[in-house]
Amino acid sequence: MARIAVQDAEFDTAAETALLTQGRTDIGAVASFIGICRADDGLGAMVLEHYPGMTERALAKITAEAESRWPLTGCTVIHRVGRLPPGAPIVLVLTASAHRQAALDACAFLMDWLKTKAPFWKREEFTQGQARWVEARSEDDAAAQKW
Amino acid sequence: MQILYFAWVREKIGRAGEEISLPPGVSDVAGLIRHLGTLSPGHAAAFANPSAIRAAINQDFASPDDAVADGDEVAFFPPVTGG
């Protein structure tokens, strides 16, 4: 059963890793991905909107799919919402398994699917005052389809 | 039925959602988009290009030809950009 959270607050990667591994001796690998707000083109802040209810439901489906494809002992997906400044962590994915390949592959899979199959939207606010909604990228669709 | 809007769809329409009755003759997502586009200039702007719109029925992604019924929660939004 995956741990899923959608929250304003920053996540604690060390504490989340400990949650996955504490009290267990069958885990040989934990893979992690941390998405960070990058300051392109004078970005002042990124505002993340989501669809409460559907988001958690979509993340549960995506993590269940990962657990059915790889022998994971656990996984964690935490996605932040609200206004985030450049440099702020946005998303955390952790996967734990007996061996590294399953953990690494499942982690990459979760990010590729999360980008195209979970209802989040990013709005970029620039330091000059303009704002724009981020457009979906065909590269992300291709990455999701390769699995 | 409960209609929800997100991201620029919400901004163009000027509200996060509304309660409507399913009009006679509307049976799928594409038909609902055509109907909603007639409700106001903001709706018309939001739904001017249906291929730019994604939908969910009762919190599952839906296709234009998926059936809608009174009592459904139907959401409209741009392609997702999380992660």
Side-chain angles (χ1 to χ4, degrees):
Chain A
M1 195 63 191
R3 165 162 156 67
I4 290 164
V6 181
Q7 62 190 40
D8 292 338
E10 192 160 341
F11 42 77
D12 180 339
T13 305
E16 294 298 335
T17 307
L19 269 182
L20 272 181
T21 57
Q22 67 196 3
R24 304 190 65 137
T25 54
D26 57 339
I27 296 173
V30 173
S32 66
F33 176 86
I34 299 169
I36 295 170
C37 180
R38 197 179 55 231
D40 287 344
D41 307 327
L43 183 83
M46 189 86 87
V47 181
L48 276 128
E49 177 174 335
H50 78 120
Y51 181 173
M54 181 174 169
T55 310
E56 293 79 359
R57 194 177 155 84
L59 294 176
K61 280 190 201 173
I62 294 166
T63 53
E65 183 68 28
E67 288 171 328
S68 77
R69 293 189 188 204
W70 290 278
L72 302 180
T73 57
C75 68
T76 298
V77 175
I78 302 177
H79 205 301
R80 296 177 71 192
V81 291
R83 179 170 277 99
L84 301 176
I90 300 176
V91 60
L92 172 68
V93 174
L94 298 175
T95 51
S97 186
H99 300 286
R100 74 177 184 282
Q101 202 60 52
L104 289 166
D105 288 351
C107 189
F109 164 86
L110 283 168
M111 271 314 298
D112 284 343
W113 273 35
L114 187 155
K115 276 192 165 282
T116 55
K117 297 176 195 291
F120 293 98
W121 301 275
K122 289 194 187 103
R123 188 167 179 273
E124 295 173 325
E125 293 180 347
F126 295 95
T127 47
Q128 304 292 331
Q130 339 74 302
R132 70 176 177 216
W133 290 95
V134 173
E135 288 188 27
R137 298 164 69 246
S138 58
E139 295 93 320
D140 289 337
D141 288 329
Q145 276 160 20
K146 78 172 187 262
W147 298 99
Chain B
M1 64 199 312
Q2 183 68 34
I3 308 291
L4 301 174
Y5 306 119
F6 293 95
W8 56 253
V9 178
R10 172 179 50 73
E11 286 187 342
K12 285 178 194 275
I13 291 171
R15 62 178 80 160
E18 55 200 319
E19 187 79 33
I20 67 159
S21 298
L22 190 63
V26 173
S27 60
D28 60 13
V29 169
L32 190 54
I33 286 176
R34 282 192 296 275
H35 167 71
L36 291 169
T38 67
L39 295 183
S40 78
H43 287 77
F47 292 111
N49 178 11
S51 70
I53 301 285
R54 300 292 177 271
I57 301 174
N58 299 324
Q59 305 190 351
D60 280 321
F61 286 105
S63 301
D65 57 355
D66 281 341
V68 292
D70 250 328
D72 282 345
E73 175 179 298
V74 184
F76 295 98
F77 41 78
V80 301
T81 55

